[in-house]
Amino acid sequence: MSTKQKRFFLSEDDIPRYWYNIQADMVNKPMAPLNPQTKEPLKPEDLYPLFAKELCHQELDQENAWIEIPEPVREYYKYWRSTPLVRAYGLEKALGTPAHIYFKNESVSPIGSHKLNSAIPQAYYCKQEGVTNVTTETGAGQWGAALSYAAKLFGLEAAVYQVKISYEQKPYRRSIMQTFGAQVTPSPSMSTRAGKDILTQTPNHQGSLGTAISEAIELARTTPNCKYTLGSVLSHVSLHQTIIGLEAEKQMEMAGEYPDVVIGCFGGGSNFAGISFPFMRHTIKEGRKTRFIAAEPASCPKLTRGKFQYDFADEAGYTPLLPMYTLGHKFAPANIHAGGLRFHGAGVIVSQLLKDGLMEAVDIPQLETFETGCLFAQAEGIIPAPESCHAIAAAVREAKKCIETGEEKIILFNLSGHGLVDMASYDQYLAGNLMNYDLPDEVIAKSLGE
Amino acid sequence: MSTKQKRFFLSEDDIPRYWYNIQADMVNKPMAPLNPQTKEPLKPEDLYPLFAKELCHQELDQENAWIEIPEPVREYYKYWRSTPLVRAYGLEKALGTPAHIYFKNESVSPIGSHKLNSAIPQAYYCKQEGVTNVTTETGAGQWGAALSYAAKLFGLEAAVYQVKISYEQKPYRRSIMQTFGAQVTPSPSMSTRAGKDILTQTPNHQGSLGTAISEAIELARTTPNCKYTLGSVLSHVSLHQTIIGLEAEKQMEMAGEYPDVVIGCFGGGSNFAGISFPFMRHTIKEGRKTRFIAAEPASCPKLTRGKFQYDFADEAGYTPLLPMYTLGHKFAPANIHAGGLRFHGAGVIVSQLLKDGLMEAVDIPQLETFETGCLFAQAEGIIPAPESCHAIAAAVREAKKCIETGEEKIILFNLSGHGLVDMASYDQYLAGNLMNYDLPDEVIAKSLGE
């Protein structure tokens, strides 16, 4: 047993005062999102009907590398930030690896995941601009819980469309949102045209993030003083999440090390962006050799098997056209237990970075994720969210390589959330009821309209 | 919005190296537990068949005020300690109170509550003494989860008897224990004589902590190399929990304040002891004026309506006779949602302290606890365990008094755990299905055999 330091914290004064906007430093800028009507490059004003204005400008900002975090947002960040950077001595020992494994523990946030990092500024900017109601979609419920809490902090009313299968399978998340005072509706619902269209065609539709996004956007468009918010995919969400990596950078310095490999699980890309981009700027600007690995589910492999093309972010086609790796916006993922990773596309920034070879992607089968989750729980005492298990599994693969090569690589991954509200999924795994899903090429081709 | 510091942490080097044994400083020592066969005062050796020897000595130690925390235990404490001391600015603002409210956030532990503070040393001492199997009972599952994880850390097999109604109502806790590798059995079960006796008399018995204790003790007695462990009530458990108050003492110093009131919820007494005893030593030794308040459920009011007498800690009468405030060891509490507080008696130390007027007790009706829990969740972002809601409710009562008097009292309470695995209870509350229970005097008198 080591007596070296296990956890690293920043003092409240050292919590970063700026988010990092990687777009400003990218050599190849992300291609422009397109207005779906005109097919012209999107301007911030085109997004005003949907989002708080400040967020529209952040979304398309390719100039400013540093965006100041508003003081009230920083004050609420202090409720749980800095999150600890943890040296995973327990996991290292369980694996017998010479690698040094670190993880950033975002599970300690009030709502149990990194999502609050963006929910608070989104609610803040809405409040600043006189908005009274916010709406969003949620899959597993992590984002919905975050927005519900953030809305309450700023006195906004929140309406959340939750993917129906999660609403039914994960009632605890719904209760959490309701405890924070939000209205929660299972999606698809009969309360929107988008929902009605789907339900009349497919009466028992289980829901998808794409559908829930369509419903929330429709509510925002048809309700006075109501704005839409999104928990991943978009560039301003990734921007807010860079607080994770910026803290981690300072904390790795406290530990006296710099990562050789940085890993995040991948749904729409925001937690991966959060842990990666601050380190990636040293790769871009100083040529520092670090590998960045996005870990996605084998059953929703947009990065490893998707296609780079313009696509919608939602089922009904309400959003701008985004240049991204996608499985097609009508892709219906298998009913896997990592609800937060069941999105068909990747954000525009990460898509460009992957295209340019600045990052890599791996896909992880479901059984490997839960096997790794149980190993991690027993070694480090934290039951990880099924989403986060993908990052841990990728980290474990890298750490095992080090056993063979004898290298003492420095591996850093983001523990995006805990799994305490996902125990039903662990139950299914422990009972032997889960399986891997083989996704045939034809299904992807068909979804992409090929 | 204040810009003052929100959370206070200790560096790993400042985590206390000793637990505090208040028995050594008490003017009136606790009365001796009695051997149930001989009615003679209990000697450590009498407890050897049940507990690790070191724990038996800690249990009855009235000499040594400071007990060294073994190095391996401190190393595992570092996985989550120090826990933050938090200034509850959000709650203060929501109440509009001039009081300064602080809470010690024990919910950040791997298993979500303070219970791990004692589970780790108990598992450690068992391992040291060559034990291979440990067993215990659990109500809501917090202690069972803690022991399951601690056993895994030291390579011990764990068998947990969970009160049947909790086993059925809170399946997530069972899954957590199983994820950590423990065997979990609903109690009463047919696997022990004690369980069989109860089930043959009352086939649909919902279980109680008293019954589950009897089953676990019987398993320990009849299994080679197996020891029993307990999550509260006993003096060595309270001893381990003093890490909470010892940290809080240093952290309150960082905040530049000293508490006027210290509050903990009360089941068997260990989390209350943990937050209180280190501060109480200044009351005992230096006459410092601090109020100590134990908050118990109105439906299980051992401190406010029980009787001080010798009683068993379990249903079947396997344990030593303890001098304690009790509702009678056959008391069957109402089916309230604060499962961890449904125990009929109080530990011998707190019982003596209450008798001597060094502490107070209040009882809180169920609806007030959930109302306060929702208020706290919205103000501080943490959904508290139903048990912890009792402490918050008592703190809110004190803070409201300060609104009337204008006093800036310093209130400190222990947030013993989060409620993320108890969302079904919040669901019931939000749906309006919960009620208060009026416990008639006759029921208590009958249970006490009067």
Side-chain angles (χ1 to χ4, degrees), chain A residues 75-356:
Chain A
E75 281 302 309
Y76 282 125
Y77 275 176
K78 285 175 14 184
Y79 275 50
W80 77 100
R81 308 207 69 88
S82 69
T83 63
L85 175 79
V86 186
R87 174 77 183 268
Y89 289 118
L91 182 60
E92 290 172 20
K93 192 178 153 200
L95 295 171
T97 179
H100 296 193
I101 307 175
Y102 292 85
F103 62 92
K104 183 72 168 157
N105 186 1
E106 290 292 308
S107 81
V108 302
S109 103
I111 53 95
S113 82
H114 68 292
K115 293 289 187 189
L116 205 50
N117 297 331
S118 186
I120 287 179
Q122 289 193 46
Y124 166 77
Y125 290 121
C126 285
K127 181 69 179 181
Q128 284 296 99
E129 298 177 16
V131 169
T132 55
N133 292 60
V134 287
T135 181
T136 197
E137 78 297 326
T138 197
Q142 290 187 340
W143 168 248
L147 186 74
S148 302
Y149 173 56
K152 179 57 70 176
L153 288 178
F154 293 104
L156 303 169
E157 294 296 318
V160 180
Y161 289 92
Q162 183 171 23
V163 175
K164 195 199 272 171
I165 188 156
S166 293
Y167 183 92
E168 285 164 1
Q169 282 185 349
K170 304 195 167 180
Y172 279 26
R173 293 254 198 228
R174 169 179 53 71
S175 308
I176 290 171
M177 293 186 262
Q178 290 168 334
T179 299
F180 287 134
Q183 295 291 326
V184 187
T185 306
S187 168
S189 76
M190 295 299 276
S191 70
T192 63
R193 189 183 61 75
K196 273 182 225 165
D197 284 355
I198 290 162
L199 281 177
T200 46
Q201 280 170 37
T202 317
N204 287 318
H205 198 288
Q206 294 291 288
S208 71
L209 275 176
T211 303
I213 292 175
S214 297
E215 292 209 88
I217 288 181
E218 190 177 323
L219 183 75
R221 279 184 175 168
T222 55
T223 307
N225 233 356
C226 178
K227 293 291 177 191
Y228 170 67
T229 65
L230 191 64
S232 189
V233 183
L234 293 179
S235 301
H236 68 266
V237 183
S238 295
L239 172 73
H240 304 152
Q241 294 296 350
T242 59
I243 186 88
I244 302 171
L246 291 166
E247 284 183 2
E249 197 188 343
K250 293 188 186 191
Q251 291 164 311
M252 289 296 302
E253 220 167 279
M254 292 166 74
E257 308 210 272
Y258 191 90
D260 297 307
V261 189
V262 178
I263 299 168
C265 65
F266 198 96
S270 75
N271 106 81
F272 172 79
I275 188 80
S276 298
F277 289 178
F279 291 99
M280 205 181 279
R281 88 177 189 276
H282 300 297
T283 303
I284 294 174
K285 294 169 76 88
E286 300 142 36
R288 211 149 178 168
K289 297 234 177 307
T290 304
R291 290 172 58 210
F292 300 93
I293 305 176
E296 65 181 5
S299 55
C300 194
K302 70 215 83 168
L303 298 177
T304 50
R305 297 171 67 191
K307 202 171 159 187
F308 185 89
Q309 64 183 29
Y310 274 98
D311 197 4
F312 293 106
D314 70 322
E315 165 92 18
Y318 289 161
T319 69
L321 283 161
L322 302 176
M324 61 180 182
Y325 281 93
T326 178
L327 295 163
H329 67 279
K330 299 216 182 265
F331 179 76
N335 174 23
I336 59 160
H337 286 261
L341 306 185
R342 297 170 75 234
F343 185 69
H344 65 275
V348 301
I349 300 175
V350 282
S351 290
Q352 187 64 43
L353 293 169
L354 182 65
K355 199 153 160 273
D356 290 344

Side-chain angles (χ1 to χ4, degrees), chain B residues 215-235:
Chain B
E215 292 210 88
I217 289 181
E218 190 177 323
L219 183 75
R221 279 183 175 168
T222 55
T223 308
N225 233 356
C226 177
K227 293 291 177 191
Y228 170 67
T229 66
L230 191 65
S232 189
V233 183
L234 293 179
S235 301

Side-chain angles (χ1 to χ4, degrees), chain A residues 7, chain B residues 8-10 80-85 104-109 117 244 247 251:
Chain A
R7 299 191 305 159
Chain B
F8 301 86
F9 285 96
L10 302 178
W80 77 100
R81 309 207 68 89
S82 69
T83 63
L85 175 79
K104 184 72 168 158
N105 185 1
E106 290 293 306
S107 82
V108 302
S109 103
N117 297 332
I244 301 171
E247 285 183 2
Q251 291 165 311

Side-chain angles (χ1 to χ4, degrees), chain B residues 194-268:
Chain B
K196 275 181 224 166
D197 283 355
I198 291 161
L199 282 176
T200 46
Q201 280 170 36
T202 317
N204 287 317
H205 198 289
Q206 293 291 288
S208 72
L209 276 176
T211 304
I213 293 175
S214 296
E215 292 210 88
I217 289 181
E218 190 177 323
L219 183 75
R221 279 183 175 168
T222 55
T223 308
N225 233 356
C226 177
K227 293 291 177 191
Y228 170 67
T229 66
L230 191 65
S232 189
V233 183
L234 293 179
S235 301
H236 68 266
V237 183
S238 295
L239 171 73
H240 304 152
Q241 293 297 350
T242 59
I243 187 87
I244 301 171
L246 292 165
E247 285 183 2
E249 197 188 341
K250 292 187 186 191
Q251 291 165 311
M252 288 296 303
E253 220 166 281
M254 293 165 74
E257 308 212 272
Y258 191 92
D260 297 307
V261 189
V262 178
I263 298 168
C265 65
F266 199 96

